[in-house]
Amino acid sequence: KTLVPAMIAPCERPIMFELTQTAELMHWQGDAGDNAWRAFLGDVKRFVSRPIALAAVEPAVPSAPPTVQETLKPGQSGAAPSLAILPFTNRSANPDDEVFAEGMVEDVISALSQGVNVRVLGSTATANFSRSVISDVAAIGRQLGVRYLLEGNVRRTGTNLRVTTKLLEAATGEGVWTGRFDRPLAELASLQEDLVTEVAASLDTQIYNVEMARAVLKKPADITAWEAVARSLAAFRKFDVASTQLAVEEAERAIVIAPGFGIAHASLAVNVAHRYLFIPDDEGEVCRIRAIVARALELSPDNAMVLSYVGHALRTAGYAEDGLHYLQSGAEMAPGNGLGQFCLASCLCRLQRFHEALAVMDTAWRLMPRSHMRVYVKDWQANALEALGRLEEAKAAADQAISLNPDIGVHRLTCARICLKLGRQAEARRHVEIAQRQGWTGEVVARIWLRLLPRTPDLEPDTARMTQLFEDLEAGR
């Protein structure tokens, strides 16, 4: 099950074959001594001579989730994964594209440095490497001390300039992800910044997705505090009582592992605040949230993600004005962090600054391609558009949120509320029925709307209509 690709005629290649691992045999006429042909045979021989380890597959045995106290290896705070970007290859005949390829690497490094999910090496660390002569990726990874390597090339395809990238696991040299990005040559000067943003955002999100998946699969005894925080964020593939509780437990685990890790305390603050949305008013719980926020800020006052998390926690707990200060600071420090931008946008909605919120949401959407948190951007976009009276646009955004993740009940309820305003009672009822099966009640919905959208126009009649719809369904009417 190993592919050894070779080009035998000009064609539009699938994205995974766009990079330098494809043998170029378009010139070959059957000469057994041809260097390219001999190199191709050598690649095949290496692959087929590798020993194959066969492991018995044992059935998975379900087990109870471990408690925080069962976590071992205290003190391992860990850190965001490291990345080195190899010099991009110019595969165009135009020498001007060589300058573009070099500049692209510098620009992507600069854009990634603004984020919080990846630690990227400067270009001087890889300037002397050429992807075409690298035979041992694992050795390069060890030499640079990074977890991931990125290779890429630029080439002209018709009227477009194409940038193709491949993310490699440094320890094995195996491909993790490939990306292809096209821009019209005629508009390249004006679109170059947009291209860099798209490449960097896709890469940042993809690495974090891989890290979250890896952290979720690890045994709790083997994870670092950073990985526990990643597990906490992964829990928000579904927003309900169980997922918020799981997110809290993972953040608590991170603190047990590394008590002085500021981002762990900030993660705990935001997750306790999310859990608070599902329970009745409790001043003691609000005080606890503020105390955790204070501890996080004491430990890491200059960390962009800490600032965004604590701001989001304060907003969720009912202190939107206080939270806005930290959210704006976090966004200024790391403008390339899509999650931080989303947190800022939701706070602006809470403060009824809907036009500003929509602009920030557009930025968050661009910076989080393929992130599981993207669905929440669409839901808050629907809330903002609804408040501005742009109901058809709000409905479209709510529909998109549901299509991204149909298992998040709160998005169904946002859509149902908009449907009621549009006079689409049957569709509203269908969404509420699904949310009800997912465990939602009219009481919880009313509480969450009151806490997250207290100043929204028509909140009281909207809540009354939704509560009545839940009661009708429960009574079989």
Side-chain angles (χ1 to χ4, degrees), residues 95-115:
D96 292 342
D97 292 343
E98 191 71 39
V99 177
F100 178 85
E102 293 176 2
M104 190 72 192
V105 171
E106 292 286 354
D107 290 344
V108 171
I109 289 174
S110 177
L112 286 172
S113 298
Q114 299 174 3

Side-chain angles (χ1 to χ4, degrees), residues 229-294:
V229 170
R231 286 161 63 113
S232 179
L233 184 62
F236 278 88
R237 298 184 189 280
K238 190 173 181 182
F239 182 70
D240 58 14
V241 173
S243 64
T244 53
Q245 178 58 34
L246 176 60
V248 167
E249 291 171 1
E250 293 295 350
E252 288 174 337
R253 189 189 313 281
I255 293 174
V256 170
I257 297 171
F261 193 34
I263 191 66
H265 291 268
S267 177
L268 179 61
V270 77
N271 289 312
V272 171
H274 283 146
R275 185 178 64 181
Y276 177 62
L277 291 173
F278 292 90
I279 65 174
D281 292 344
D282 184 340
E283 189 59 34
E285 193 72 354
V286 174
C287 289
R288 183 190 176 206
I289 293 167
R290 293 188 69 93
I292 301 170
V293 164

Side-chain angles (χ1 to χ4, degrees), residues 167-343:
L167 184 66
L168 303 169
E169 186 94 43
T172 63
E174 294 182 359
V176 176
W177 165 79
T178 55
R180 177 193 291 164
F181 311 88
D182 290 296
R183 289 297 184 277
L185 283 165
E187 304 172 36
L188 189 59
S190 60
L191 295 178
Q192 186 168 346
E193 183 176 350
D194 173 62
L195 173 61
V196 169
T197 299
E198 185 180 355
V199 173
S202 297
L203 183 60
D204 180 89
T205 301
Q206 185 61 36
I207 289 177
Y208 197 68
N209 285 346
V210 171
E211 290 297 315
M212 276 197 296
R214 178 183 282 118
V216 168
L217 293 174
K218 275 189 173 184
K219 294 180 179 179
D222 297 329
I223 65 174
T224 67
W226 189 90
E227 289 170 327
V229 170
R231 286 161 63 113
S232 179
L233 184 62
F236 278 88
R237 298 184 189 280
K238 190 173 181 182
F239 182 70
D240 58 14
V241 173
S243 64
T244 53
Q245 178 58 34
L246 176 60
V248 167
E249 291 171 1
E250 293 295 350
E252 288 174 337
R253 189 189 313 281
I255 293 174
V256 170
I257 297 171
F261 193 34
I263 191 66
H265 291 268
S267 177
L268 179 61
V270 77
N271 289 312
V272 171
H274 283 146
R275 185 178 64 181
Y276 177 62
L277 291 173
F278 292 90
I279 65 174
D281 292 344
D282 184 340
E283 189 59 34
E285 193 72 354
V286 174
C287 289
R288 183 190 176 206
I289 293 167
R290 293 188 69 93
I292 301 170
V293 164
R295 179 59 175 156
L297 291 171
E298 178 186 359
L299 291 169
S300 302
D302 299 319
N303 182 291
M305 198 67 249
V306 167
L307 294 174
S308 293
Y309 268 174
V310 301
H312 195 61
L314 290 170
R315 185 276 295 180
T316 306
Y319 297 90
E321 289 83 358
D322 294 344
L324 182 64
H325 165 73
Y326 296 111
L327 287 162
Q328 288 175 328
S329 296
E332 289 172 4
M333 290 176 62
N337 178 18
L339 184 57
Q341 295 285 348
F342 159 69
C343 292

